[in-house]
Each structure stands twice: as C-alpha cells, then as structure tokens.
Amino acid sequence: MRRLLFSVDGQHLAKQGDFSGITAGSKGYLKCCFGVDGSDWHGAKKVALFNEAYAVAVDEALECNVPDEVTGGKSFKVRLIGAKGDMRVTTNAVLVEQTL
C-alpha cells in the first residue's frame, strides 16, 4: 500500500513528501494520510472528497483509501471536509497526478 501524505493547516491542504511515480489504474493500493494542525479540526468528523464526487470517511488515524473510481485517469483531486455541530470546514482541492 502506498501512503500519500498531506498536511492540513486551517483550510489549507498541501502535499507532503514524494508524489512521483504514481501509476494510474491501481485498485485498493493508494491511501491518503492527513496531518491535521489546529483546533478547527479537533473533534470534527472528517471526510475526504475525491473529484468532487466520491466521499470517503477518514478514520481515527486520519487515513482513508483512495476510491478505485478515481485512479484510472491522469489525475484526481482531493479535499478534506470536517463537521462538528453546526460548524463545517473545508480545504482547497489538491491535484494528484498519475502516469498512464
């Protein structure tokens, strides 16, 4: 399994580490890992949204699998959304490129 690392600071999502050599077409192989900084996210239920269409719950370890539906093309986008009570916070979308 390959782990794609992201940092979250407030509403800013950014890649961390090496994102090179990701090959399109993998299934059940890619995992997103989020390093959350700041109290805005503390206690919030978190969901990763891929290509603005596929929502995946983020677990307590702040990880989720990349859905197979987005791994077949040249790229996919991911953003993090959190909800706590009446509050909702969302990040910018980050592009992850893949080799065909």
Side-chain angles (χ1 to χ4, degrees):
M1 177 151 302
R2 181 161 178 186
R3 297 169 51 126
L4 306 177
L5 305 177
F6 296 89
S7 65
V8 182
D9 186 6
Q11 291 187 286
H12 183 73
L13 181 66
K15 296 178 191 175
Q16 298 294 309
D18 184 13
F19 276 70
S20 65
I22 300 171
T23 303
S26 62
K27 304 283 184 195
Y29 177 66
L30 299 175
K31 180 174 277 212
C32 289
C33 305
F34 301 96
V36 177
D37 200 17
S39 62
D40 294 341
W41 294 90
H42 183 71
K45 292 185 179 181
K46 298 163 197 70
V47 172
L49 184 62
F50 295 87
N51 289 351
E52 302 298 328
Y54 301 97
V56 179
V58 176
D59 66 20
E60 290 180 12
L62 301 176
E63 299 180 346
C64 72
N65 290 327
V66 175
D68 295 342
E69 292 85 356
V70 302
T71 60
K74 287 183 169 184
S75 64
F76 61 87
K77 288 184 179 180
V78 60
R79 74 172 61 238
L80 189 64
I81 299 170
K84 176 172 54 175
D86 291 337
M87 183 199 77
R88 178 181 159 138
V89 61
T90 185
T91 68
N92 56 296
V94 172
L95 183 70
V96 177
E97 297 182 280
Q98 303 183 112
T99 305
L100 293 177

